Amino acid sequence: NFELLQSDAAARLSGLGPIGQILFSLFSVNLLCTLTLALTAQKYRGTVNSFSVALMLGFLPRFMPKISNLIGLTRRERLWLHAGPVLMRVTLFSIGTFLWYLTRSSSGSLATIGLALAVVSAMALLLTLNPLSKSSGYHLIAVLLDEPQLRGKAFKALFGRIKGNAY
């Protein structure tokens, strides 16, 4: 139903504006994913020292936990630590999609909230799974592949592809 999604996104999300979308993203997807990361770290003997707001890319506000004592985690515990926020984004995307699709025939704001949640969580999921940025998705892929220097190798492969060299 991509055409349906496009028409609803153009009609319903246009009234939100960029500031409204950033604030909605901050207090829905980012807050829930950060809380998931902090609670998962605490379950696996980590210490959540602080919970603050930081600027990503210099202008996007994001909640950030400061977590310590994660050195002695097993591979399984590290997988769950990094998979928690990724799974939360997938869950929020699913909830938003179902909420939008099931309530879109009504004229209420529930369909708009569901659509905004689906769009924001889908974008966050795609950005977090990028191996060129250090995020929970990157760390999950690095632990799954047992490759601690994945980011450096991803950059070498990208620049090698651009230059025409093989890596």
Side-chain angles (χ1 to χ4, degrees):
N1 296 329
F2 190 68
E3 296 84 20
L4 200 62
L5 177 72
Q6 275 184 319
S7 66
D8 271 10
R12 293 180 189 261
L13 296 183
S14 62
L16 218 56
I19 301 295
Q21 290 176 0
I22 288 173
L23 289 175
F24 180 77
S25 168
L26 177 68
F27 286 108
S28 61
V29 176
N30 183 252
L31 180 63
L32 290 171
C33 290
T34 305
L35 288 174
T36 302
L37 177 65
L39 291 173
T40 308
Q42 188 176 9
K43 181 187 182 327
Y44 293 123
R45 302 174 312 276
T47 304
V48 180
N49 297 325
S50 67
F51 190 78
S52 61
V53 176
L55 295 178
M56 184 177 92
L57 303 174
F59 64 93
L60 287 175
R62 291 296 192 220
F63 289 108
M64 301 290 291
K66 184 170 172 74
I67 301 171
S68 59
N69 298 334
L70 296 176
I71 302 285
L73 294 182
T74 65
R75 183 172 187 266
R76 180 181 165 274
E77 291 170 342
R78 285 184 295 145
L79 278 172
W80 277 111
L81 178 71
H82 299 305
V86 174
L87 291 173
M88 178 57 80
R89 286 179 179 94
V90 170
T91 302
L92 290 174
F93 171 73
S94 301
I95 290 170
T97 303
F98 284 126
L99 190 65
W100 162 71
Y101 191 72
L102 294 175
T103 61
R104 70 175 300 276
S105 60
S106 68
S107 62
S109 62
L110 203 54
T112 305
I113 292 170
L115 182 62
L117 184 63
V119 168
V120 166
S121 58
M123 288 190 312
L125 181 65
L126 290 176
L127 289 174
T128 195
L129 291 177
N130 183 3
L132 299 176
S133 67
K134 284 202 170 188
S135 60
S136 57
Y138 160 78
H139 291 294
L140 176 64
I141 294 170
V143 171
L144 275 173
L145 297 177
D146 199 22
E147 188 63 56
Q149 301 300 323
L150 180 65
R151 187 171 185 217
K153 289 184 178 183
F155 273 117
K156 283 182 185 177
L158 177 66
F159 292 136
R161 186 70 170 172
I162 291 171
K163 292 178 182 177
N165 301 339
Y167 173 66

